[in-house]
């Protein structure tokens, strides 16, 4: 028997010489091979392994015993595919990169100064405001203000808002909204522009006019804007956590869960406008309040023509809503979530809840974190004038809403486009609109013709992806691959293929091999899913397509028919019940629900921050695959047929994630790999999940915002719980969420079965942390 202390060394030798021998969701057994020590291993930061402060394992270089055959000998150009690359746009608009020669870091707001200078100001979450001419060909931006040392830029906190005083052309005064490090305060501060440079603010001119201590790290609001009445409006969430534990929503004695209205002019701080709805009251109600009962009004705006105040209010677990805000209005939280009853409150509000203009059920997969937008008052898109554009951060969907205010009736609500990590909209000097993605994209909204899904083949057999559908033999040019660490899919088994168009190549960053690869337009990835339902062969459930269209990445599903002869295109998703073999269940079988994702849900997991493509990445494909010619390391074979845009080098120099059940890798490496594969697409910088977590496997433990950190969305009823409590999985919300199937479940989509092996692995890792 091999002493366990030598296992990491032996593993790396085997892996680097022969490729990893772990399995993914497909059945596959490791092949016995002679040990040959190599360089790298668990904890070696140079080679991409996670590190929690331990000593890296040093090992001698590989001595290759002789020539080794490649698994792939030549590249075959794929042909005959019927997937459309240009389906047009799905409505009245199209998104065009607004400033292609500029780069932005976590942008979350765009606006213009009221000085007729036709400049763009972009707020970046990290603390910088950029300014530049409103010209698509602009090549550089200036830093207007840098307060990065004053703020805490993680999770839902950071530099969140910017508003110019209406007389800015004369006064040079503007306001910012930001979150402090340490004790968490939400700050609204006044600044002045430099007297010598209109593109530079005076960093020493700060006057804090508003300060509010936050009880939790989320639901900070963050929007500030001057209304047509020249008063400053401030959006504040309910204080955070989940379910409004402080009961702030209906409490007029607090500033939380409200949109405030103040007059910051002619004062060192601010004054209360006399026509505020609760001005001068004797009941202890906060006089700054304009409207209340809002869970988290992340973005709101004023209609340039009518002055109407529109807001997107982020929902809890069921409903997202758009509200038309009125003086003294009560928008229901936490009594109501959208049009649904949610809970109760000990506070008696003076007015009944006002229903939203429109609400969207999260269960539809269309929205999970609403982003308020603008009524279009520009001049370039005639059929959009007077309509309200809004979107959703998680799904990236964008809608155009037509509303008859007099009749209080929605005339239409059309999904028109999609932008991943859509965190805000912006309006320039002329009323033209922009969509902003936290991943770095700023898109100009332009008019477009209608598009639809009619170009997508209706059956899998019509796509040209398979030469023989019954044997799942792909069309020549597709390359099958496997991953080191499985993505949990309720115990089903998967096969995967990829095809690049023509002789195009994958973009690979040799300086940072953990960085997501880039793929050319026309790239197609297939993922086939089946389950052991007790028959002579597995039951085929679905085959998913991820394709890089001209408008961006898109995902859709083909559902296999009962006869298992073909699969049908399923744009709207679906649900079914399947009987699955399970030796631990009574009678050896269990019944489980299976979700077929709709097109929006596909892109909730394939995030921009993760590069859209989740499986094919360096650390996942640094493993062996049994090709027809020879078993070979996948990276080595792909490199041999020049699939990358450069020579990526020997796999031994590249990072490698660990199979979940690997006997060779440490618990830490296996657990960190599991979190990367299953969670990091949403929990990483720039990704849609809140909380500021970074679950990538190469992030140092003390940089993950995980160990010892209070959960921002509730402690699940466990006193003293943390996201991770060292040595105590029972006090660790991350582990507890993995073992649930209710609304607190993680991941929140598409799973109806607890991954017991995965949660046991994470639990063992947490228990072992010291």
């Amino acid at each position: 028997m091999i002493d366990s202390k030598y296992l990491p060394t032996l593993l790396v030798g085997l892996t680097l010489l022969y490729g990893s021998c772990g399995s993914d969701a497909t059945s596959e057994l490791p092949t016995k091979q002679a040990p040959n020590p190599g360089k790298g291993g668990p904890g070696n930061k140079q080679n991409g392994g996670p590190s929690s402060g331990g000593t890296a394992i040093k090992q001698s270089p590989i001595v290759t015993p002789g020539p080794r055959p490649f698994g792939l000998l030549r590249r075959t150009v794929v042909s005959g595919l019927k997937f459309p690359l240009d389906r047009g746009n799905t409505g009245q608009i199209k998104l065009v990169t607004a400033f292609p020669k500029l780069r932005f870091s976590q942008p979350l707001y765009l606006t213009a100064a009221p000085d007729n200078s036709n400049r763009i100001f972009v707020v970046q979450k990290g603390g910088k405001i950029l300014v530049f001419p409103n010209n698509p060909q602009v090549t550089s931006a200036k830093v207007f203000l840098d307060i990065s040392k004053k703020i805490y830029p993680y999770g839902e906190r950071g530099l969140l808002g910017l508003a110019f005083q209406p007389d800015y052309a004369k006064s040079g005064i503007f306001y910012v909204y930001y979150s402090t490090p340490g004790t968490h305060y939400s700050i609204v501060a006044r600044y002045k522009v430099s007297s010598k440079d209109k593109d530079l603010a005076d960093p020493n001119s700060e006057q804090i006019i508003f300060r509010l201590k936050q009880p939790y790290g989320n639901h900070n609001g963050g929007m500030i804007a001057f209304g047509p009445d020249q008063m400053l409006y401030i959006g504040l969430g309910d204080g955070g956590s989940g379910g409004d534990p402080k009961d702030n929503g209906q409490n007029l004695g607090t500033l939380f869960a409200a949109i405030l209205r103040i007059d910051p002019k002619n004062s060192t701080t601010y004054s209360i406008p006399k026509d505020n709805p609760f001005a001068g009251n004797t009941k202890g109600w906060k006089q700054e309040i304009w409207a209340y009962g809002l869970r988290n009004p992340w973005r709101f705006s004023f209609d340039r023509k009518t002055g109407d105040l529109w807001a997107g209010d982020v929902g809890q677990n069921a409903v997202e809503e758009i509200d038309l805000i009125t003086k003294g209005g009560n928008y229901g939280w936490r009594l109501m979530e959208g049009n649904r009853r949610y809970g109760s409150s000990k506070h008696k509000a003076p007015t009944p809840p006002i229903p939203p203009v429109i609400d969207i059920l999260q269960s539809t997969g269309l929205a999970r974190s609403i982003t308020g937008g603008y009524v279009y008052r520009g001049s370039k898109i005639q059929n959009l004038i007077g309509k309200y554009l809004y979107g959703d951060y998680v799904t990236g969907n964008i809608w155009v809403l037509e509303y008859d205010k007099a009749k209080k009736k929605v005339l239409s609500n059309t999904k028109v486009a999609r932008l991943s990590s859509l965190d805000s909209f912006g309006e320039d000097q002329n009323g033209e609109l922009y969509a902003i993605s936290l991943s770095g994209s700023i898109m100009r909204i332009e008019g477009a013709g209608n598009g639809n899904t009619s170009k997508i083949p209706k059956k899998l057999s019509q796509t040209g992806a398979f030469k023989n559908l019954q044997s799942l033999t792909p069309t020549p040019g597709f390359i099958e691959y496997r991953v080191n660490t499985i993505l949990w899919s309720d115990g089903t088994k998967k096969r995967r293929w990829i095809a690049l168009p023509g002789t195009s190549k994958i973009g690979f960053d040799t300086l940072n091999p953990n960085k997501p690869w880039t793929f050319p337009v026309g790239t197609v990835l297939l993922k086939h899913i089946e389950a052991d339902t007790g028959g002579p062969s597995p039951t085929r459930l679905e085959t998913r397509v991820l394709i890089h269209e001209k408008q961006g990445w898109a995902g859709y599903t083909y559902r296999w028919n009962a006869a298992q002869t073909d699969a049908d295109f399923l744009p709207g998703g679906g649900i079914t019940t399947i009987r699955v073999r399970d030796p631990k269940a009574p009678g050896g079988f269990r019944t489980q629900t299976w979700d077929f994702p709709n097109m929006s849900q596909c892109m909730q997991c394939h995030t921009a921050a993760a590069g859209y493509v989740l499986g094919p990445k360096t650390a996942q494909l640094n493993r062996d695959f049994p090709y027809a010619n020879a078993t070979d390391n996948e990276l080595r074979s792909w490199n041999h047929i020049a699939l990358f845009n450069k020579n990526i080098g020997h796999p031994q120099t590249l990072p490698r994630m660990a199979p979940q059940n690997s006997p060779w890798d440490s618990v830490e490496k296996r657990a960190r790999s599991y979190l990367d594969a299953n969670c990091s697409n949403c929990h990483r910088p720039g990704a849609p999940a809140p909380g500021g977590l970074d679950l990538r496997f190469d992030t140092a433990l003390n940089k993950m915002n995980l160990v010892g950190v209070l959960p921002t969305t509730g402690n699940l009823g466990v006193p003293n719980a943390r996201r991770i409590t060292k040595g105590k999985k029972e006090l660790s919300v991350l582990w507890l969420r993995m073992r649930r199937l209710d609304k607190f479940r993680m991941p929140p989509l598409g799973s109806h079965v607890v991954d017991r092996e995965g949660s046991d692995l994470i639990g063992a890792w947490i228990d072992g942390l010291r």
Side-chain angles (χ1 to χ4, degrees):
M1 178 175 290
I2 300 172
D3 191 315
S4 61
K5 69 181 179 181
Y6 296 118
L7 289 181
T9 301
L10 181 57
L11 164 68
V12 174
L14 289 170
T15 299
L16 300 183
L17 180 57
Y18 297 98
S20 72
C21 57
S23 64
D24 65 359
T26 54
S27 299
E28 129 186 58
L29 297 174
T31 303
K32 288 188 176 181
Q33 295 165 332
N36 195 323
K39 179 180 178 183
N44 189 331
K45 293 175 70 177
Q46 179 181 357
N47 286 301
S51 175
S52 56
T55 303
I57 298 173
K58 297 182 178 180
Q59 296 165 327
S60 58
I62 292 176
V63 178
T64 305
R68 179 185 175 189
F70 290 99
L72 298 174
L73 301 181
R74 65 189 61 84
R75 181 173 179 178
T76 301
V77 175
V78 68
S79 62
L81 298 183
K82 305 300 182 184
F83 299 112
L85 296 184
D86 188 352
R87 292 188 291 112
N89 289 273
T90 56
Q92 300 152 300
I93 69 168
K94 65 179 179 181
L95 303 179
V96 177
T97 301
F99 309 104
K101 298 179 181 179
L102 298 182
R103 296 293 178 266
F104 303 97
S105 175
Q106 292 190 287
L108 47 68
Y109 187 54
L110 177 152
T111 190
D115 61 358
N116 291 317
S117 64
N118 199 23
R119 291 176 296 163
I120 295 292
F121 293 79
V122 172
V123 176
Q124 297 187 142
K125 182 180 178 181
K128 293 181 180 180
I129 299 174
L130 305 182
V131 60
F132 49 89
N134 187 5
N135 182 339
Q137 300 306 314
V138 63
T139 58
S140 64
K142 296 180 180 179
V143 177
F144 180 67
L145 178 67
D146 183 357
I147 58 170
S148 54
K149 294 182 179 180
K150 293 177 178 287
I151 70 167
Y152 183 82
Y154 302 105
E156 296 182 24
R157 297 155 67 179
L159 176 56
L160 305 179
L162 167 66
F164 292 93
Q165 199 161 283
D167 65 352
Y168 178 78
K170 179 181 178 181
S171 70
I173 294 173
F174 65 97
Y175 300 81
V176 296
Y177 181 121
Y178 64 87
S179 312
T180 62
T183 301
H184 180 195
Y185 285 92
S186 288
I187 300 288
V188 177
R190 177 192 293 119
Y191 281 88
K192 290 197 68 174
V193 71
S194 167
S195 60
K196 298 180 180 180
D197 186 348
K198 69 174 184 177
D199 289 335
L200 181 65
D202 179 358
N204 299 316
S205 64
E206 182 183 40
Q207 290 179 300
I208 294 176
I209 68 165
F210 176 88
R211 182 198 304 263
L212 181 65
K213 187 177 180 180
Q214 294 278 1
Y216 300 100
N218 58 335
H219 300 185
N220 306 305
M223 183 69 188
I224 54 176
F226 279 91
D229 52 10
Q230 300 198 2
M231 299 300 161
L232 183 64
Y233 292 72
I234 303 170
L236 289 168
D238 62 7
S241 188
D244 190 12
K246 301 289 186 181
D247 194 13
N248 288 327
Q250 296 294 299
N251 183 8
L252 287 169
T254 178
L255 295 173
F256 292 110
I259 291 178
L260 312 183
R261 179 179 183 253
I262 62 174
D263 186 352
K265 303 182 292 298
N266 307 316
S267 170
T268 56
T269 55
Y270 64 87
S271 60
I272 305 292
K274 294 181 180 180
D275 57 344
N276 269 13
F278 307 113
N281 80 86
T282 60
K283 299 181 179 181
W285 295 342
K286 295 296 183 182
Q287 299 179 60
E288 295 92 334
I289 292 175
W290 181 254
Y292 63 102
L294 294 155
R295 183 176 178 272
N296 190 27
W298 162 241
R299 287 293 180 248
F300 61 78
S301 67
F302 292 92
D303 184 334
R304 284 188 171 203
K305 181 178 179 179
T306 66
D308 289 338
L309 175 53
W310 291 80
D313 195 17
V314 180
Q316 179 69 39
N317 295 306
V319 184
E320 302 297 321
E321 66 180 90
I322 294 294
D323 296 301
L324 195 53
I325 304 297
T326 59
K327 178 180 180 178
N330 175 8
Y331 291 87
W333 181 248
R334 67 177 185 177
L335 299 177
M336 306 293 293
E337 182 183 5
N339 281 308
R340 289 188 173 192
R341 186 76 185 185
Y342 179 82
S344 61
S345 175
K346 65 181 179 182
H347 302 287
K348 181 66 175 178
T351 55
I354 298 172
V357 170
I358 195 166
D359 60 5
I360 301 175
L361 298 180
Q362 293 183 4
S363 60
T364 64
L366 297 174
R368 294 190 66 85
S369 181
I370 210 74
T371 299
Y374 288 82
V375 174
Y376 180 72
R377 295 297 178 185
S379 60
K380 296 182 178 180
I381 315 174
Q382 292 298 309
N383 63 348
L384 212 60
I385 293 174
K387 299 176 183 178
Y388 180 71
L389 275 81
Y390 70 99
D392 185 77
Y393 175 59
V394 174
T395 66
N397 290 328
I398 297 174
W399 289 266
V400 169
L401 170 66
E402 188 173 7
Y403 182 66
D404 187 326
K405 182 181 176 182
K407 296 180 180 179
K408 296 184 178 180
K409 181 180 180 181
V410 173
L411 302 180
S412 64
N413 185 50
T414 307
K415 186 159 69 74
V416 295
R418 183 184 172 277
L419 179 63
S420 182
S421 301
L422 174 72
D423 60 356
S424 195
F425 291 87
E427 190 178 36
D428 68 15
Q429 173 181 301
N430 302 313
E432 300 301 329
L433 299 185
Y434 301 78
I436 298 105
S437 167
L438 192 63
S439 65
S441 302
I442 295 182
M443 311 299 287
R444 186 172 59 255
I445 293 172
E446 296 184 353
N450 292 327
N452 51 52
T453 60
S454 64
K455 295 182 180 180
I456 297 175
K458 296 301 179 287
K459 293 186 177 294
L460 186 60
S461 59
Q462 297 169 351
T463 65
F466 290 95
K467 182 179 179 180
N468 186 316
L469 198 59
Q470 294 312 302
S471 63
L472 290 182
T473 303
T475 294
F478 274 94
I479 299 172
E480 189 168 5
Y481 65 93
R482 294 175 182 170
V483 295
N484 272 320
T485 309
I486 66 167
L487 286 75
W488 173 250
S489 298
D490 287 3
T492 57
K493 298 185 178 184
K494 290 175 275 191
R495 291 179 66 183
R496 304 172 175 88
W497 299 267
I498 185 172
L500 271 64
T503 57
S504 60
K505 299 178 185 296
I506 297 168
F508 187 97
D509 189 339
T510 52
L511 297 178
N512 182 10
N514 282 313
K515 186 176 181 180
W517 299 348
T518 59
F519 297 85
V521 170
T523 299
V524 176
L525 295 100
L526 306 173
K527 181 162 64 177
H528 175 76
I529 304 174
E530 52 191 38
D532 182 359
T533 56
S537 59
T539 297
R540 296 174 176 181
L541 299 175
E542 60 177 293
T543 301
R544 297 178 184 175
V545 177
L546 184 67
I547 181 169
H548 194 178
E549 300 176 340
K550 291 182 178 179
Q551 288 79 20
W553 287 93
Y556 39 91
T557 288
Y558 287 90
R559 177 178 180 172
W560 282 83
N561 59 28
Q564 300 280 278
T565 55
D566 206 341
D568 299 309
F569 175 47
L570 201 67
I575 190 168
T576 191
T577 301
I578 58 176
R579 180 174 178 263
V580 179
R581 189 192 302 274
D582 184 353
K584 296 181 181 179
F589 289 90
R590 57 178 165 79
T591 299
Q592 71 181 57
T593 299
W594 180 260
D595 288 340
F596 300 93
N598 61 40
M599 296 180 72
S600 294
Q601 288 171 326
C602 284
M603 303 314 298
Q604 288 185 37
C605 292
H606 291 271
T607 64
Y612 298 105
V613 176
L614 306 182
K617 61 182 182 179
T618 308
Q620 280 282 41
L621 268 61
N622 197 351
R623 55 157 295 141
D624 270 7
F625 184 89
Y627 297 103
N629 186 64
T631 296
D632 190 17
N633 181 283
E634 292 182 296
L635 295 179
R636 182 174 180 264
S637 273
W638 287 26
N639 193 46
H640 177 65
I641 63 171
L643 214 58
F644 299 106
N645 63 345
K646 61 193 68 174
N647 186 345
I648 67 172
H650 198 286
Q652 79 173 57
T653 67
L654 300 173
R656 180 187 64 85
M657 286 165 59
Q660 182 174 324
N661 297 316
S662 168
W664 312 103
D665 289 290
S666 68
V667 170
E668 178 195 15
K669 187 167 186 179
R670 288 185 286 127
R672 293 292 308 277
S673 297
Y674 180 94
L675 292 176
D676 184 295
N678 289 276
C679 312
S680 74
N681 54 313
C682 289
H683 291 285
R684 67 168 63 202
L693 285 166
D694 186 354
L695 299 186
R696 293 174 295 177
F697 91 109
D698 57 314
T699 300
L701 187 61
N702 62 356
K703 301 293 185 182
M704 296 175 71
N705 201 21
L706 186 61
V707 177
V709 178
L710 284 169
T712 57
T713 53
N715 60 7
L716 303 181
V718 179
N720 301 316
R722 297 292 187 268
R723 286 173 172 172
I724 281 185
T725 302
K726 282 188 175 182
K728 297 180 179 179
K729 62 178 178 291
E730 295 84 2
L731 297 181
S732 301
V733 169
L734 181 143
W735 181 76
L736 294 171
R737 286 183 181 275
M738 291 180 64
R739 297 172 62 83
R740 303 175 73 114
L741 292 174
D742 58 10
K743 63 184 180 181
F744 300 108
R745 160 75 167 157
M746 281 293 167
L749 287 177
S751 182
H752 298 277
V753 180
V754 171
D755 183 0
R756 296 293 178 184
E757 290 186 5
S759 63
D760 287 348
L761 171 62
I762 299 302
W765 171 56
I766 293 172
D767 283 345
L769 291 174
R770 296 292 183 264

